[in-house]
Amino acid sequence: WDQTSTTATVHKPTQRMKCGIEVKLQNDSVTIISMDSDGLFANSGLEVGMAVKTINDVSVIGKTAAEATQLIENAVDQVTIVAIGSQSTDLNTGSHPPFQTCKGTFDISYVDRGKQCRGHVILELKNNGRFGYRVLGTKSDADGTAFITEGFVNYEGDAWWVDELHSGNDMVKKVLTKGKFDWL
């Protein structure tokens, strides 16, 4: 299984120069919503509707559209955007995991403050019909049980979610988890 990605690199001589590309958070993905036909990315292979994966090798998974736009605006000399899909892409071609909903328990390992830890997570993935899956569930580890209140995994397996741990006197601890699913 492999999802085709498009890489576009343009020269941006100054920070003030506009690239002519606009993004918005849609279906939990930073998505291209407009492109200036005279902008730097015109004829680059990027299309309206594509989900942005990286900007100058920085992942935008879990970022807001404003954060992604800031990455583009702050760049000088070169801007490289890697994106997947498009509005015209037929998502029923087998180019992504073949399920609408999946729920299961998964063993996890992670590093917390330099220490290797283990736990398990119960995840429910729901296909959003465009670029990936919404993530919900619960997680149990050394810190206790946490609710996964929001999250996203794209068809390539890049994932993020927010754990909310409630303990003590209604103390709330939020943790952003990032990782990769191996669909095989």
Side-chain angles (χ1 to χ4, degrees):
W1 166 81
D2 185 26
Q3 170 94 26
T4 303
S5 63
T6 300
T7 301
T9 301
V10 298
H11 177 68
K12 184 180 171 211
T14 67
Q15 186 174 8
R16 298 183 72 154
M17 178 174 261
K18 300 293 181 193
C19 290
I21 190 168
E22 185 178 1
V23 297
K24 181 178 179 181
L25 196 62
Q26 292 181 335
N27 298 316
D28 299 318
S29 293
V30 174
T31 303
I32 299 169
I33 61 166
S34 70
M35 292 183 58
D36 185 340
S37 60
D38 296 323
L40 295 178
F41 283 99
N43 303 313
S44 67
L46 297 179
E47 300 175 26
V48 169
M50 288 182 147
V52 177
K53 291 175 44 182
T54 63
I55 299 171
N56 285 347
D57 294 322
V58 176
S59 174
V60 297
I61 294 172
K63 293 195 183 303
T64 66
E67 290 169 322
T69 299
Q70 197 65 49
L71 288 171
I72 295 169
E73 289 177 357
N74 289 345
V76 177
D77 189 33
Q78 177 177 301
V79 180
T80 300
I81 296 177
V82 178
I84 60 170
S86 74
Q87 289 181 332
S88 60
T89 301
D90 179 4
L91 294 179
N92 296 319
T93 62
S95 62
H96 58 82
F99 58 85
Q100 290 301 310
T101 302
C102 175
K103 187 172 183 177
T105 302
F106 303 89
D107 292 325
I108 58 172
S109 64
Y110 59 97
V111 176
D112 184 10
R113 293 178 280 262
K115 181 181 173 190
Q116 183 71 31
C117 302
R118 297 193 178 282
H120 71 271
V121 63
I122 299 170
L123 293 179
E124 182 175 1
L125 308 177
K126 290 186 177 184
N127 196 323
N128 71 12
R130 289 197 64 197
F131 303 112
Y133 301 91
R134 181 175 180 208
V135 178
L136 296 172
T138 57
K139 182 183 87 166
S140 295
D141 62 16
D143 293 326
T145 299
F147 296 98
I148 298 169
T149 57
E150 63 179 310
F152 178 76
V153 57
N154 66 18
Y155 294 137
E156 290 188 330
D158 299 311
W160 66 268
W161 64 75
V162 176
D163 307 340
E164 286 189 14
L165 176 66
H166 298 265
S167 65
N169 295 324
D170 294 323
M171 182 187 87
V172 176
K173 176 181 173 185
K174 289 186 177 185
V175 177
L176 175 63
T177 300
K178 296 179 183 181
K180 179 133 181 117
F181 282 83
D182 182 358
W183 297 119
L184 299 176

